Amino acid sequence: MIGVVGGGIAGLAAARRLQQLGHDVTVFEANEDLGGLATTYETAGDPVEAFYHHLSKSEETIVEWIDELGLDDALEWRYGSDAYYVDGVVHPMDKPWEILAYPHLSIYDKFRLGMLVLDVDVRGGIPSFDTYERLEDFEDVPVKGFVLDHTSRGCFERFFKPLLEAKFGDRWADVSAAWLLGRIKFRGERDLLKGEQLGYLAGGFGQLTDALVETVGKMDIFTESRATDIRIKDGVVDSVTVETEYGEVPHAVDGVVVATMPDVLESLTGYACDIDFQGTVCSVISMEKPLTDTYWLNIADDAPFGALIEHTNYVPPERYGGEHLLYAVKYVQGPEDDLWQMDDQAVEETWLSGIEDLFPDFDRDSVNWIQTSRNPKTAPIYERGYLEKVIPYDLSEEVADGVYYAGMASRAQYPERSLDGAIVAGETVAERIGEAQ
Ligand SMILES: Cc1cc2nc3c(=O)[nH]c(=O)nc-3n(C[C@H](O)[C@H](O)[C@H](O)COP(=O)(O)OP(=O)(O)OC[C@H]3O[C@@H](n4cnc5c(N)ncnc54)[C@H](O)[C@@H]3O)c2cc1C
């Protein structure tokens, strides 16, 4: 039997592929619920993700899996609108004329930004089309120096820096240029007139978890079963110990896939990973009316949140019984962060007064409910030299034969952690196990 530690999308994907390859599998999930970060809340209509989720057109594996799992009818590609909030004004940034009208970048800044996004290096006045092909060349290049060199100071100060700060907080300067370039490539096709298409599962991504659970089979999935130890015998994995309400139970295994954050891998096997993770505090605010007409609002202003993501400007509110759903989100760099220290009520008060400061017409009486989720490890800091720190899928050399890793510190979750990356990690590990036997 192969033991899978973690019943998030990566663990469930590994379990499904392993079964397809003929293995007996048991999934051990610490929580009562499956799906990990892809968990959902109830609304007056469809469930909504506790942490905002959409797909990018560049992600192909998840689309194949959605198809195989019979969810293809639910997959829809919708245009998600982007805007920047600066000095009291929401500036739409999707269409060429909106970008041209954006007053906080000069024409020269926009030209340099456009060339970088189109993968054209115009430094020295002679266009080069292959500078950005090999991301490895930029692994050790600091993001700030790169942006200043390859675009302009205006682009850096007024476009990239607010985005980097929203994504990485005070760790933004550690990020590599390779990550930025990878992130630009990761984003999907843009329609010149309509913006970027993003993928969503009508009815919510909870259906992906449900479909995976169904195919793996509930009999082979144990919830409220936290793995506490992995035993090695003669250099080969021998058992996984799981803590349940009945005490600690060892399960004999022929192999183990750890599909969790790296700190869990370390506590189970001693393998230490140098990647730093940040956490997230994220609330869904249900309102009777819309706040803006933008899906993704970047905030280049003083605010307690890094972005406001108005889900129902992407998926229609009718799906949620007419509720308008807004995410307020901030990434936190550690438990000492003020926001992390607050209880949910204080966090929610912070969001509401932050929204009132930016949008004086916002009426907090129009709020139906707020739900807050927080998780101390939700996203890696993609700092310079990141790829050298990635945990190998097969840990036979580092830990013992039969130990595999499919969690967020795996290669598949670069340059952006995603549901697609989780599936690719789970699938890759299952295939490595298949090849090894
Ligand atoms: C704010 C936010 C926004 C996001 N936006 C998007 C997006 O737009 N698009 C997208 O595709 N992705 C997005 N993601 C990323 C996506 O949710 C993750 O990449 C994916 O869900 C990771 O799956 P996973 O299975 O690797 O990890 P997790 O979901 O973290 O699952 C790990 C599981 O392991 C369990 N576990 C931990 N320790 C143990 C133990 N000792 N024993 C047993 N079980 C254990 C946990 O309870 C958890 O269920 C977002 C994530 C966040 C936080």
Side-chain angles (χ1 to χ4, degrees):
M1 182 271 279
I2 310 285
V4 175
V5 177
I9 299 299
L12 293 170
R16 172 175 184 258
R17 187 57 96 223
L18 281 163
Q19 286 176 333
Q20 288 173 328
L21 293 170
H23 293 276
D24 283 337
V25 175
T26 304
V27 178
F28 302 107
E29 165 55 48
N31 286 337
E32 200 182 329
D33 298 321
L34 294 154
L37 294 172
T39 185
T40 55
Y41 299 135
E42 295 303 313
T43 74
D46 291 342
V48 69
E49 293 69 32
F51 299 105
Y52 53 89
H53 275 76
H54 57 238
L55 306 182
S56 165
K57 273 274 181 181
S58 63
E59 298 177 307
E60 291 171 357
T61 306
I62 191 167
V63 174
E64 285 163 23
W65 279 56
I66 284 172
D67 211 22
E68 287 173 28
L69 292 167
L71 295 171
D72 43 326
D73 284 348
L75 180 61
E76 52 191 22
W77 292 95
R78 297 175 164 272
Y79 289 98
S81 51
D82 274 350
Y84 256 76
Y85 181 102
V86 191
D87 297 339
V89 181
V90 172
H91 300 277
M93 291 285 271
D94 292 306
K95 301 165 184 122
W97 57 91
E98 291 170 347
I99 297 169
L100 282 173
Y102 182 60
H104 301 282
L105 290 178
S106 67
I107 293 289
Y108 176 70
D109 294 334
K110 289 168 193 167
F111 167 72
R112 295 300 299 264
L113 177 64
M115 288 296 109
L116 180 68
V117 171
L118 291 171
D119 262 357
V120 187
D121 178 8
V122 291
R123 287 173 308 160
I126 302 161
S128 153
F129 297 91
D130 55 9
T131 308
Y132 309 123
E133 247 166 42
R134 285 171 38 87
L135 294 188
E136 309 87 275
D137 296 348
F138 298 91
E139 259 302 306
D140 293 319
V141 179
V143 71
K144 179 176 177 180
F146 171 82
V147 172
L148 289 176
D149 192 21
H150 291 253
T151 62
S152 63
R153 182 156 287 278
C155 285
F156 173 71
E157 296 292 346
R158 291 187 290 277
F159 188 82
F160 286 109
K161 192 167 171 228
L163 294 180
L164 287 163
E165 281 177 336
K167 178 102 181 136
F168 297 108
D170 57 14
R171 294 294 307 276
W172 69 266
D174 298 334
V175 170
S176 74
W179 173 80
L180 183 69
L181 286 168
R183 196 66 185 82
I184 291 171
K185 287 179 201 290
F186 171 87
R187 298 199 70 145
E189 306 144 30
R190 291 188 79 84
D191 181 299
L192 210 55
L193 301 181
K194 294 182 183 158
E196 186 181 0
Q197 275 196 319
L198 304 172
Y200 194 70
L201 272 190
F205 283 106
Q207 294 168 100
L208 184 62
T209 307
D210 295 346
L212 285 168
V213 169
E214 181 129 322
T215 51
V216 172
K218 287 199 177 124
M219 297 285 287
D220 294 322
I221 302 175
F222 296 173
T223 52
E224 296 180 89
S225 301
R226 178 181 300 280
T228 54
D229 193 23
I230 290 178
R231 288 273 163 87
I232 311 293
K233 204 169 160 192
D234 301 329
V236 183
V237 66
D238 181 61
S239 66
V240 179
T241 305
V242 173
E243 185 183 77
T244 69
E245 58 176 317
Y246 308 108
E248 299 229 313
V249 186
H251 293 260
V253 292
D254 306 309
V256 63
V257 177
V258 180
T260 64
M261 292 297 162
D263 55 333
V264 178
L265 175 72
E266 184 173 358
S267 72
L268 295 175
T269 67
Y271 179 93
C273 167
D274 282 342
I275 295 173
D276 290 338
F277 277 79
Q278 50 184 349
T280 307
V281 180
C282 181
S283 303
V284 178
I285 304 172
S286 162
M287 305 172 300
E288 278 167 24
K289 48 188 187 216
L291 179 71
T292 68
D293 55 9
T294 300
Y295 171 50
W296 194 285
L297 185 62
N298 297 300
I299 313 285
D301 218 307
D302 258 356
F305 27 72
L308 288 173
I309 300 153
E310 198 159 345
H311 180 73
T312 37
N313 289 332
Y314 168 52
V315 177
E318 292 72 36
R319 296 262 180 90
Y320 306 97
E323 293 183 52
H324 293 263
L325 303 173
L326 173 77
Y327 290 97
V329 61
K330 187 175 178 246
Y331 288 94
V332 296
Q333 303 309 318
E336 62 291 341
D337 188 290
D338 289 348
L339 196 71
W340 188 263
Q341 300 273 329
M342 293 179 193
D343 62 17
D344 287 358
Q345 214 185 340
V347 166
E348 291 159 12
E349 175 53 38
T350 304
W351 297 150
L352 292 180
S353 34
I355 296 172
E356 282 167 341
D357 285 346
L358 300 190
F359 297 93
D361 291 342
F362 171 67
D363 171 13
R364 58 165 82 198
D365 288 341
S366 80
V367 173
N368 302 311
W369 51 261
I370 310 183
Q371 292 220 58
T372 298
S373 284
R374 56 179 85 209
N375 189 306
K377 288 192 164 44
T378 53
I381 305 282
Y382 293 109
E383 60 189 309
R384 297 194 295 285
Y386 181 87
L387 287 177
E388 281 165 27
K389 300 179 180 181
V390 152
I391 302 181
Y393 293 117
D394 178 349
L395 287 165
S396 53
E397 275 180 27
E398 294 79 359
V399 181
D401 274 347
V403 180
Y404 293 82
Y405 181 73
M408 208 183 264
S410 60
R411 180 66 177 84
Q413 293 286 28
Y414 180 87
E416 186 57 74
R417 49 97 169 94
S418 64
L419 299 170
D420 183 71
I423 291 178
V424 173
E427 180 176 68
T428 308
V429 158
E431 281 159 11
R432 296 277 168 99
I433 293 174
E435 285 159 18
Q437 289 180 347

